[in-house]
Amino acid sequence: MKATGQEVTIVMIEDDEGHARLIEKNVRRAGVNNEIVPFTLGKGALDYILGPDRDGLVSKDRYLLILLDLNLPDMSGLDILEKIKTNEYTRRMPVVVLTTTDDEREIQKCYDLGANVYITKPVDYDGFSTAIRNLGLFFSVIQVP
């Protein structure tokens, strides 16, 4: 997956190690070989995406695709999404919300904040694997601005 000739880095913000391994395994199985930078806490992910001072300059010339779980131990994924989408340097980064929450109001809130895709994690292993593999296939054909 490339953006204007540059490699896209996938930032995976997922606190469940089992889900993180499953996501990476199935994205790889779909043929996506981009670097995946994993985070289990929102603060570390925001430091990476926006920089420690949160001005976003660190990402001015980076091409990132964000995989975001909403249920993190240190902060809400909605807060992370809002910070990414309101920053002038990161607002165009694609954000894929990948979470177990299927509440319609929360889904709408994510889209209102600028999420590009919202995927509800199936609770069974096979369904989850299939959803992630399909996500990997999606990554292999999209263009990141």
Side-chain angles (χ1 to χ4, degrees):
M1 179 173 43
K2 294 184 184 264
T4 62
Q6 292 192 0
E7 281 293 318
V8 173
T9 300
I10 298 170
V11 177
M12 178 173 50
I13 309 167
E14 169 64 67
D15 66 313
D16 183 305
E17 295 292 330
H19 286 175
R21 282 192 303 274
L22 198 56
I23 290 167
E24 183 165 1
K25 175 179 150 187
N26 284 289
V27 165
R28 298 290 183 227
R29 191 179 286 169
V32 176
N33 296 312
N34 297 62
E35 178 183 11
I36 297 175
V37 180
F39 293 94
T40 56
L41 296 175
K43 182 189 179 319
L46 284 174
D47 286 348
Y48 180 80
I49 297 165
L50 296 174
D53 59 1
R54 303 290 191 261
D55 66 6
L57 269 171
V58 68
S59 289
K60 182 179 180 209
D61 295 316
R62 292 197 295 188
Y63 294 94
L64 305 178
L65 182 142
I66 316 296
L67 293 180
L68 176 62
D69 184 10
L70 294 182
N71 303 309
L72 299 167
D74 65 334
M75 65 186 344
S76 164
L78 289 170
D79 291 337
I80 295 169
L81 177 61
E82 185 172 24
K83 285 175 180 18
I84 292 169
K85 290 300 186 173
T86 57
N87 183 281
E88 67 178 304
Y89 300 109
T90 60
R91 68 175 174 240
R92 288 190 182 91
M93 288 180 180
V95 176
V96 176
V97 174
L98 190 60
T99 190
T100 54
T101 306
D102 65 354
D103 179 89
E104 288 296 323
R105 290 173 305 209
E106 193 154 279
I107 293 169
Q108 189 58 56
K109 175 85 169 156
C110 286
Y111 282 123
D112 289 346
L113 289 172
N116 299 82
V117 180
Y118 189 105
I119 297 174
T120 303
K121 295 179 200 171
V123 289
D124 66 284
Y125 176 85
D126 291 334
F128 186 58
S129 295
T130 300
I132 299 304
R133 204 168 311 120
N134 290 338
L135 180 63
L137 292 171
F138 171 72
F139 288 165
S140 69
V141 298
I142 67 165
Q143 292 291 315
V144 177

